Amino acid sequence: MRTVCLSIHIFCSRTGPKMTDSSLLNTELELEEQEELYQQLLLQTMGKLQTETSDSKSIRPQPGMCVKTFTEPGKEKVFINICQSSSVPPPPELSREELVDLLQSEDPSGYRVPMSLGEPHTEVDNSSQSCTAYDVVINQDFFQKCQEDALFQQFVILVSAEGLENKYKLELSRDWKVLKNRKFLGSVSEQNIRTKSRPTIQVLQPQESSTASCKRPKFRLLVEPPTGRPENLVAEIHLPGVPSSRSLLLDVGEDRLVLAARPSLFHLDVFHPFLVDQDNTAAQFNNQTQVNEAKSLPMSN
């Protein structure tokens, strides 16, 4: 089967219910604990770190994957190093179907992913340009699960980005890219995590499947060129009432397209008879025209 490029156009009206950005992230550190960790990191940088307390320990995580994105609206390059460690507790067990339901629920923050957010560090990219990198550490087994499923991978990138946004008052572009040949930018450094046992956090189970209450949006699939050998596949999706791409989660498979609009607005899950080059598919939302476009670069056979 010959591969084609996928271009996704999402049309959103300006009217509709007001959306509230709800973070999917709840780290294992509460606000006062984050302040304590920040002070420890400052002392460590100055070479004055005192003996670790019984409530925390120092770990050296393993590299996992490196994600490139940009700040909004300044377009400053940012790299997120998503690392792994068995010392970080895993989140509650979650199936793919439960993840889809979770993303469609009214309160997706009911599911908590324990993670440690490191301090920003300045690095140099492949173009010899200065950039900022952040290290995020999650459980090793959960990281491997995210590597095996594209939806889980996008989910962990999303919660990592939202966690950094909340902690450092950032706004990061959702048009991110996972680097193929790089697992980490910079040098892996130690992080302090809490070891004191905490009350068990359970998943808030929805009363019913939230996908059942979602609307199936109007859409159409177009092949370019319309005759001859197909080169591009264009998906046009209409989502009235969705104000921005921050409310959307898009998963593009080789022959499947899944789009969710949080919370519980729209859900689209369709298969198509083409083989799509997933690496060359990207999305961009235009705030003025309320159009979200995802385009692919030309692909080889």
Side-chain angles (χ1 to χ4, degrees):
M1 181 181 297
R2 188 174 186 274
T3 59
V4 299
C5 298
L6 174 62
S7 177
I8 303 172
H9 304 262
I10 301 176
F11 301 89
C12 311
S13 69
R14 293 183 180 272
T15 60
K18 183 178 180 181
M19 302 288 292
T20 300
D21 285 334
S22 58
S23 173
L24 298 177
L25 169 75
N26 282 276
T27 69
E28 79 276 13
L29 302 175
E30 296 178 350
L31 292 179
E32 66 274 9
E33 297 167 342
Q34 293 178 0
E35 178 64 22
E36 176 186 351
L37 177 58
Y38 175 69
Q39 295 297 332
Q40 290 180 343
L41 289 172
L42 284 180
L43 291 173
Q44 185 181 40
T45 302
M46 296 183 293
K48 300 178 181 178
L49 183 63
Q50 300 176 351
T51 304
E52 293 176 350
T53 66
S54 59
D55 291 346
S56 67
K57 69 175 182 179
S58 180
I59 64 169
R60 183 175 292 274
Q62 298 297 316
M65 64 178 171
C66 186
V67 181
K68 182 176 72 173
T69 185
F70 299 88
T71 60
E72 297 285 5
K75 296 299 181 182
E76 297 178 358
K77 193 178 298 185
V78 171
F79 291 86
I80 305 175
N81 296 318
I82 301 181
C83 309
Q84 51 185 318
S85 173
S86 58
S87 298
V88 177
E93 190 65 28
L94 187 70
S95 67
R96 196 180 201 278
E97 291 72 19
E98 290 171 335
L99 176 58
V100 173
D101 284 344
L102 174 72
L103 296 172
Q104 296 296 329
S105 67
E106 296 292 339
D107 183 20
S109 63
Y111 183 82
R112 307 188 176 198
V113 180
M115 58 176 59
S116 178
L117 304 175
E119 297 296 312
H121 48 97
T122 302
E123 302 294 341
V124 177
D125 62 14
N126 290 336
S127 302
S128 299
Q129 299 295 319
S130 177
C131 60
T132 303
Y134 297 86
D135 302 341
V136 177
V137 187
I138 63 174
N139 176 263
Q140 190 171 37
D141 292 337
F142 185 65
F143 175 82
Q144 295 301 325
K145 182 176 183 178
C146 294
Q147 292 297 92
E148 297 169 359
D149 190 304
L151 184 60
F152 273 91
Q153 184 186 74
Q154 291 298 307
F155 171 68
V156 78
I157 295 174
L158 179 62
V159 296
S160 298
E162 289 191 345
L164 294 173
E165 288 178 327
N166 291 339
K167 183 174 182 179
Y168 297 110
K169 310 304 179 184
L170 303 170
E171 184 173 349
L172 300 175
S173 170
R174 270 35 180 181
D175 187 15
W176 51 59
K177 179 180 180 181
V178 179
L179 303 185
K180 285 186 176 182
N181 300 319
R182 184 185 290 272
K183 296 183 178 181
F184 195 95
L185 181 67
S187 301
V188 180
S189 60
E190 293 184 347
Q191 288 199 32
N192 283 333
I193 64 171
R194 289 193 57 91
T195 58
K196 184 178 180 180
S197 61
R198 304 182 61 82
T200 303
I201 300 174
Q202 298 181 349
V203 184
L204 299 179
Q205 298 292 344
Q207 296 298 318
E208 60 182 18
S209 175
S210 55
T211 56
S213 61
C214 298
K215 297 180 181 179
R216 181 182 174 91
K218 295 181 179 179
F219 75 97
R220 64 174 180 170
L221 300 177
L222 305 174
V223 177
E224 297 179 349
T227 60
R229 300 178 63 180
E231 296 290 343
N232 296 277
L233 179 64
V234 179
E236 294 186 356
I237 308 172
H238 295 254
L239 302 175
V242 177
S244 74
S245 61
R246 298 174 66 87
S247 304
L248 304 178
L249 184 64
L250 177 66
D251 180 21
V252 178
E254 290 186 343
D255 61 350
R256 186 182 184 185
L257 173 65
V258 180
L259 184 138
R262 298 185 280 127
S264 302
L265 291 178
F266 296 98
H267 180 74
L268 179 66
D269 188 348
V270 294
F271 288 88
H272 51 76
F274 300 97
L275 186 62
V276 168
D277 186 345
Q278 299 165 267
D279 294 333
N280 286 326
T281 300
Q284 183 179 13
F285 189 87
N286 189 313
N287 289 324
Q288 294 183 346
T289 62
Q290 301 287 292
V291 174
N292 194 6
E293 299 184 357
K295 297 184 178 180
S296 300
L297 299 175
M299 297 180 299
S300 59
N301 294 337

